[in-house]
Amino acid sequence: MKTRRAGILAPLIVAMLLVGTACSVTEELLTEQALEETENGVAGPALTDLSTLPLSFEPNVGQAARAAGFTARAGRGAFAFTRSGVVMASAASGGIARMRFVDAGSSRLVSGERLTGVVNYLQGKDPAAWRTGVPTYGALEYAGLYEGIRLAYTGTQGRLKGTWSVAAGADPSQIRWRYDGRLRVDVA
C-alpha cells in the first residue's frame, strides 16, 4: 500500500513543482527592477508566444511591483498595467517589453465587470503575507489617457485586445505609443 501511495503522489508533487517554477519566473518578471529596466530602455530576449493566454485582470495588492495598478496572467506570461503603459513579460523566453503611452494625460485605471473567480497568493510560510480573495475583472480601462479618449483592454481567445473610444469632437491624433524592448508584434 505504501508503494501505491508514492506512485500516486509523485506525479502530483512534480506537477506542483512545475507550476511553482512557472509562477516564480513570472513573479520575477514583474519585480520593481524589471519594471524599472523597461522604463529605462533595457530589455531582455524577444517576447514570443503570448497568444494562448486566457486573460482576467486583477488589482495589484502586493503580488507585483508597486508601479503596477493591475496585472493579468495566463499560461507562461504576464502583463502589468501602469499609469504610463503596459509591461509585457514572457516566462517562456524571459523577455520583457513595454508599451508606453506618449504625451498621455494623468490617466487612472478603472476595472470592468467583476468576474466570479478570485486569486490567492500563498507565498512563503507567513500567513500574514498571503494575499487571498483578490478579485478578477473581465476588462480594464485607462480613463483620461488623452482628452476625450479612453482605452479599454479585454482578453479574448488568449489575446490582449485594446479598444480606443474617441468622444465626439476629440482629436484622435493625440493617440500615440512607443514600444521599448525586443518584441515581436502581431496585428490581427
Side-chain angles (χ1 to χ4, degrees):
M1 191 59 123
K2 202 174 208 181
T3 306
R4 183 174 179 187
R5 280 191 190 158
I8 293 171
L9 289 177
L12 179 61
I13 291 170
V14 170
M16 289 170 61
L17 289 173
L18 290 174
V19 169
T21 302
C23 290
S24 68
V25 170
T26 303
E27 293 301 321
E28 290 172 18
L29 295 175
L30 293 179
T31 63
E32 296 286 345
Q33 179 184 357
L35 290 177
E36 184 177 302
E37 284 178 355
T38 58
E39 190 72 31
N40 296 326
V42 177
L47 292 177
T48 55
D49 186 12
L50 294 178
S51 65
T52 60
L53 303 177
L55 296 178
S56 64
F57 304 87
E58 56 190 71
N60 182 11
V61 294
Q63 76 273 26
R66 281 177 274 155
F70 280 79
T71 63
R73 305 166 188 274
R76 298 193 61 200
F79 298 94
F81 299 87
T82 70
R83 295 185 82 139
S84 62
V86 181
V87 176
M88 298 157 269
S90 170
S93 68
I96 299 174
R98 179 184 186 89
M99 184 187 79
R100 186 186 325 253
F101 304 120
V102 177
D103 297 329
S106 178
S107 66
R108 68 185 196 291
L109 291 163
V110 180
S111 59
E113 177 186 345
R114 182 155 179 190
L115 301 175
T116 56
V118 297
V119 179
N120 299 304
Y121 293 93
L122 308 176
Q123 297 174 317
K125 294 180 180 182
D126 182 10
W130 296 351
R131 306 287 184 253
T132 60
V134 179
T136 58
Y137 299 90
L140 179 64
E141 183 175 294
Y142 281 89
L145 194 55
Y146 298 100
E147 184 71 33
I149 298 173
R150 302 167 84 92
L151 171 60
Y153 280 108
T154 58
T156 57
Q157 296 179 355
R159 295 182 180 258
L160 182 66
K161 177 184 177 186
T163 303
W164 295 91
S165 298
V166 180
D171 180 9
S173 70
Q174 300 175 81
I175 301 171
R176 295 187 348 209
W177 64 88
R178 180 178 84 212
Y179 288 102
D180 298 320
R182 293 175 45 200
L183 176 68
R184 187 184 93 207
V185 178
D186 293 325
V187 179

